[in-house]
């Protein structure tokens, strides 16, 4: 900026570190704005149905948040190759999502108008977040940002034809969709009313369920109220959302306070650091994890002392915490809830297994054709599970059906999944997983008790451990942070 | 040395032996203590609490680094249901009452056993909490054997070895000991069993291999710090030979 060059808006790159999008990246106002955008997306019947069927955001919100964040960061990367690759990945991911909603209307995650709406909500929420925090954007910045978001859509869809070319036409488009197309969908209601009240603790705070629940009881309803108050009035009316006295003030206060962090020294608020730290598992060997582990230990001790000092009569209510921590096996029900039911709808069906495949493919950064091989292996496993477990023939597996037939989980198709996963993890194809490949999948170094020889991890040990996790329900395995953490 | 009485196992030369590193107590005689006073057996258990706290403090002050207490054996489940229930409630109350004290005294607490599903979940949670709370303490380590059986621990270690697929030739005493619960526990130097009973009763079988035993006549509720110190002195006067070889660590006879 000090060189004094006079780049016009046309010449300035739309992506990369100079973009308006990047400016907002570490802005704490993004947090409420993203929640708001997500509600507006979920209120779209097509997206709402896709979310309700496929998304893991109820059961694993923190993992989902991290993936979304990293994906957006890649989509605005300065390097076009990174952007193209991410766009291709997102397109493959969305191409696997289609179906029909509870009223039988079909949805398709590749629908162009629907995808334009997602980008529209992101843009509109960014503008709104600036307005609400008392620092509205000037017209030039707004137009530049609109161009960035259209370019984002174009990168995904080939062109941005579904979004009006001019910013002046955008607002009527946005208002029309809000008034005519948005509905009071199940997904929007879940985000507004259920997600925050039941938000599972991120990995960092996983050991302190009591503290987390106490904080959530206060913050959950506040977040809900703030989000509701920031939604467009026509939608609030249509969805029958409450008008609570004081909520608009609270909402503006929250945005204003979040906006004040701009006076903090640069680098104090770094979204990536925060998200990474939240998703750090205390057992991982990341250098930061040592601090986290220490903090984690302190939190655990504090909550242990709290529980010990609490009067005895108070704990007649069932304690949600599981039994002795030394337990190395979990109950069938726990395993169903934490690992199998990835979408958190109480049933095991294809989207749950697809979500697992998606998470593994994301971790391993798979391209075609490995990604399809992994999905195919999971699909075969799903057919095997369905045949073995779906006793009432409703096309999905309930927790009861699962509990009644646990032992038959480790069939040949599951072994096949393990083998495909091994091949995908073994990037150099030398038949063993070395420390680097292991780290890519589990984000941690080899575990002490791992059956490794010469610092590598062989196929049979890998397959054995995967089966032990999936069918033996062994906990404290490296798969826990991968598939069970929120 | 000058003041020692003439005992059959008296040391003949050298300075007095140091304080035992690891002392274990079999807390016997609560029921008899109550019966002698025509009280219900449960009153004896209640009276034991004072002794427990007294002995913990005495051991810490005397410089004992590891103290193990046998609170409840796997065989104790055979006692009448009401007594077991009472014990569970009592232990829970004691744990909660003394948690801050144990933390402040720098005592690291942990619970050996605690595997039976009959243990109330709240109690198991309190055990966990107390262990978590005091995990970083650097003072004496207090191991409370609760729902403990020495043979069961050994069987568990064997299972763990087999599960790991360890070849038979590689199993040494040292490796085996690594698979016992709390493998950092050193060998027990001194076992005190109150009330004059002279049995092992399936208590930390592996760890007591080279232990000295003393059997004071006092019932556990009457047992106090001076009695405990007297037991330490008895130990210090004895000549420990380990069959001619000294041992300091668990399962390492070499």
């Amino acid at each position: 900026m000090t060189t004094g060059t006079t780049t016009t808006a046309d010449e300035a790159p739309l992506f990369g570190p100079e973009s308006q999008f990047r400016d907002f990246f570490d802005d704490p106002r993004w947090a409420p704005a993203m929640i708001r955008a997500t509600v507006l997306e979920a209120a779209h019947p097509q997206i709402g149905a896709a979310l309700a069927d496929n998304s893991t955001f109820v059961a694993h919100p923190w993992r989902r948040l991290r993936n979304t964040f990293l994906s957006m960061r890649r989509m605005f990367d300065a390097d076009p190759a990174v952007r193209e690759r991410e766009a291709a990945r997102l397109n493959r991911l969305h191409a696997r999502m289609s179906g029909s909603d509870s009223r039988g209307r079909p949805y398709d995650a590749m629908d162009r108008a629907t995808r334009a709406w997602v980008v529209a909500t992101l843009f509109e929420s960014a503008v709104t977040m600036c307005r609400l925090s008392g620092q509205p954007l000037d017209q030039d910045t707004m137009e530049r940002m609109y161009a960035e978001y259209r370019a984002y859509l174009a990168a995904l869809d080939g062109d941005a034809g579904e979004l009006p070319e001019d910013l002046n036409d955008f607002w009527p488009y946005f208002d029309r969709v809000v008034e005519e197309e948005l509905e009071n969908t199940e997904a929007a209601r879940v985000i507004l009313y259920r997600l925050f009240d039941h938000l599972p603790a991120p990995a960092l705070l996983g050991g302190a369920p009591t503290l987390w629940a106490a904080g959530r009881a206060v913050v959950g309803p506040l977040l809900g109220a703030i989000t509701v108050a920031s939604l467009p009035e026509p939608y609030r009316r249509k969805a029958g959302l409450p008008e609570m006295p004081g909520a608009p003030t609270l909402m503006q206060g929250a945005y204003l306070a979040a906006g004040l962090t701009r006076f903090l020294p640069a680098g104090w608020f770094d979204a990536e650091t925060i998200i990474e730290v939240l998703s750090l598992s205390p057992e991982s060997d990341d250098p930061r994890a040592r601090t986290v582990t220490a903090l984690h230990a302190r939190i655990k001790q504090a909550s242990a002392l709290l529980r010990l000092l609490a009067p005895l009569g108070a704990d007649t209510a069932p304690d949600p915490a599981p039994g002795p921590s030394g337990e190395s096996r979990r109950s069938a029900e726990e395993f169903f809830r934490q690992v199998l039911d990835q979408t958190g709808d109480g049933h095991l069906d294809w989207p749950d297994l697809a979500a697992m495949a998606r998470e593994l493919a994301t971790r391993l950064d798979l391209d075609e054709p490995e990604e399809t091989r992994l999905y195919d292996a999971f699909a075969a496993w799903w057919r095997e599970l369905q045949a073995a477990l779906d006793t009432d023939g409703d096309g999905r597996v309930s927790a009861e059906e699962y509990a009644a037939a646990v032992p038959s989980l480790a069939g040949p198709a599951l072994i096949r999944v393990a083998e495909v996963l091994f091949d995908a993890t073994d990037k150099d194809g030398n038949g063993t997983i070395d420390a680097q490949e292991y780290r890519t999948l589990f984000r941690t170094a080899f575990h002490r008790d791992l059956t490794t020889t010469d610092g590598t991890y062989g196929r049979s040990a890998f397959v054995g451990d995967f089966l032990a996790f999936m069918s033996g329900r062994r906990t404290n395995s490296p798969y826990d942070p991968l598939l069970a953490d929120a | 040395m000058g003041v020692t009485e003439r005992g059959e196992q008296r040391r003949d030369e050298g300075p007095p032996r140091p304080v035992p590193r690891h002392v274990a107590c079999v807390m016997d005689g609560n029921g008899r203590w109550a019966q002698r006073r025509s009280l219900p057996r449960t009153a004896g258990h209640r009276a034991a609490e004072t002794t427990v706290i007294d002995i913990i403090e005495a051991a810490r002050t005397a410089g004992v680094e590891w103290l193990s207490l046998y609170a409840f054996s796997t065989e104790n489940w055979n006692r009448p249901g009401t007594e077991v229930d009472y014990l569970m409630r009592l232990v829970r109350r004691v744990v909660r009452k003394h948690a801050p004290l144990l933390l402040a005294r720098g005592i690291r607490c942990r619970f050996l056993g605690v595997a039976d599903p009959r243990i109330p979940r709240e109690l198991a949670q309190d055990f966990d909490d107390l262990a978590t709370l005091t995990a970083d303490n650097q003072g004496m380590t207090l191991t409370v054997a609760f729902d403990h059986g020495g043979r069961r621990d050994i069987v568990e270690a064997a299972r763990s070895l087999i599960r790991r697929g360890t070849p038979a030739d590689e199993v040494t005493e040292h490796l085996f000991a690594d698979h016992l619960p709390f493998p950092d526990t050193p060998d027990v130097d001194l076992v005190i069993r109150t009330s004059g009973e002279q049995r092992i009763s399936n208590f930390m079988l592996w760890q007591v291999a080279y232990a000295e035993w003393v059997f004071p006549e006092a019932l556990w509720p009457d047992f106090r710090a001076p009695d405990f110190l007297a037991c330490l002195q008895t130990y210090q006067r004895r000549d420990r030979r380990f069959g001619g070889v000294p041992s300091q660590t668990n399962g390492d006879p070499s």
Side-chain angles (χ1 to χ4, degrees), chain B residues 1-14:
Chain B
M1 274 307 286
V3 292
T4 50
E5 327 153 17
R6 197 153 283 276
E8 71 272 51
Q9 285 187 314
R10 211 191 121 243
R11 285 170 57 83
D12 293 323
E13 55 198 59

Side-chain angles (χ1 to χ4, degrees), chain A residues 86-387:
Chain A
E86 181 62 18
R89 195 186 70 84
L90 284 175
N91 277 332
R92 290 200 306 270
L93 191 152
H94 287 131
R96 292 192 168 93
M97 292 179 189
S98 59
S100 54
D101 68 6
S102 52
R103 288 196 253 155
R105 294 177 296 185
Y107 71 82
D108 179 359
M110 292 299 277
D111 182 68
R112 283 169 51 87
T114 314
R115 288 163 64 133
W117 176 245
V118 173
V119 177
T121 62
L122 290 174
F123 168 71
E124 194 270 346
S125 288
V127 173
T128 305
M129 103 185 169
C130 292
R131 280 199 308 122
L132 290 175
S133 56
Q135 308 156 252
L137 298 171
D138 59 54
Q139 189 65 25
D140 283 351
T141 316
M142 215 160 23
E143 278 180 10
R144 190 178 144 69
M145 197 164 82
Y146 186 60
E148 283 174 18
Y149 277 95
R150 285 193 85 234
Y152 175 68
L153 181 62
L156 271 182
D157 255 2
D159 66 77
E162 291 291 329
L163 277 185
E165 203 160 315
D166 192 63
L167 179 57
N168 288 325
D169 300 327
F170 173 79
W171 300 113
Y173 156 80
F174 185 86
D175 293 342
R176 183 189 61 73
V177 176
V178 169
E179 287 194 33
E180 292 174 11
E181 292 190 23
L182 294 197
E183 289 173 13
N184 183 11
T185 60
E186 174 69 26
R189 281 200 302 275
V190 165
I191 296 175
L192 283 177
Y193 296 120
R194 247 189 62 208
L195 183 57
F196 298 129
D197 291 347
H198 299 272
L199 194 64
L204 174 65
L205 298 171
T210 324
L211 280 190
W212 176 256
R216 186 179 57 189
V218 177
V219 177
L222 275 181
L223 272 178
I226 288 171
T227 311
V228 168
S230 69
L231 291 172
E233 165 61 20
Y235 182 71
R236 288 211 303 268
R237 202 169 48 226
K238 193 192 259 176
L241 297 175
E243 296 283 345
M244 278 183 294
T249 318
L250 175 71
M251 178 267 293
Q252 283 177 359
Y255 273 94
L256 196 64
L260 289 178
T261 52
R262 69 181 182 278
F263 296 115
L264 289 175
W268 270 39
F269 195 91
D270 179 34
E272 185 162 8
T273 313
I274 293 176
I275 289 181
E276 289 292 338
V277 166
L278 277 178
S279 48
L280 268 184
S281 265
E283 285 82 22
S284 96
D285 65 337
D286 190 292
R288 287 168 303 178
R290 242 171 287 150
T291 321
V292 172
T293 310
L295 176 69
H296 203 257
R298 298 309 284 260
I299 294 175
K300 269 171 85 174
Q301 288 181 352
S303 46
L305 183 61
L306 259 177
R307 272 197 300 270
L308 286 171
L309 292 181
L312 258 179
D315 49 12
T316 43
D319 193 329
S325 64
E327 203 170 70
S328 62
R329 287 172 78 85
R330 54 184 128 207
S331 71
E333 196 195 332
E334 256 183 305
F335 184 75
F336 187 88
R337 188 169 48 77
Q338 291 179 348
V339 179
L340 292 177
D341 184 13
Q342 292 272 317
T343 58
D345 59 358
H347 290 276
L348 173 62
D349 47 11
W350 165 240
D352 294 310
L353 296 192
M356 280 188 218
R358 199 158 64 224
E359 179 60 26
L360 291 169
T362 308
R363 283 263 177 133
L364 294 170
D365 209 12
L366 292 188
D367 275 321
E368 292 294 6
E370 286 86 2
E371 194 184 86
T372 301
R373 281 187 65 208
L374 188 64
Y375 271 90
D376 287 348
F378 269 94
W381 183 35
W382 168 234
R383 284 191 293 275
E384 183 181 278
L385 278 179
Q386 208 177 9

Side-chain angles (χ1 to χ4, degrees), chain B residues 106-123:
Chain B
I107 295 169
R108 179 168 70 137
C109 304
R110 48 198 202 175
F111 294 86
L112 178 65
V114 201
D116 198 290
R118 282 172 289 184
I119 296 172
R121 207 186 37 182
E122 300 82 11
L123 181 61

Side-chain angles (χ1 to χ4, degrees), chain B residues 11 17 188-189 210-212 235 238-242:
Chain B
R11 285 170 57 83
R17 299 193 56 81
V188 176
D189 298 304
Y210 298 99
E212 296 286 329
Y235 166 85
R238 287 190 189 169
D239 184 15
R240 296 183 78 200
R241 290 189 221 274
F242 304 103

Side-chain angles (χ1 to χ4, degrees), chain A residues 297-298 300-305 307-312 315 317-319 321-326 449, chain B residues 89 92-93 95-97 99-100 103 114 121-122 124-130 132-136 164:
Chain A
R298 298 309 284 260
K300 269 171 85 174
Q301 288 181 352
S303 46
L305 183 61
R307 272 197 300 270
L308 286 171
L309 292 181
L312 258 179
D315 49 12
D319 193 329
S325 64
D449 58 3
Chain B
R89 279 200 307 278
R92 178 144 198 248
R93 224 192 53 232
V95 163
R96 298 174 71 95
K97 183 169 154 195
L103 176 65
V114 201
R121 207 186 37 182
E122 300 82 11
Q125 175 75 59
D126 283 354
F127 285 168
D128 264 6
D129 283 345
L130 184 59
T132 310
L133 181 68
T134 60
D136 295 339
R164 291 240 325 198

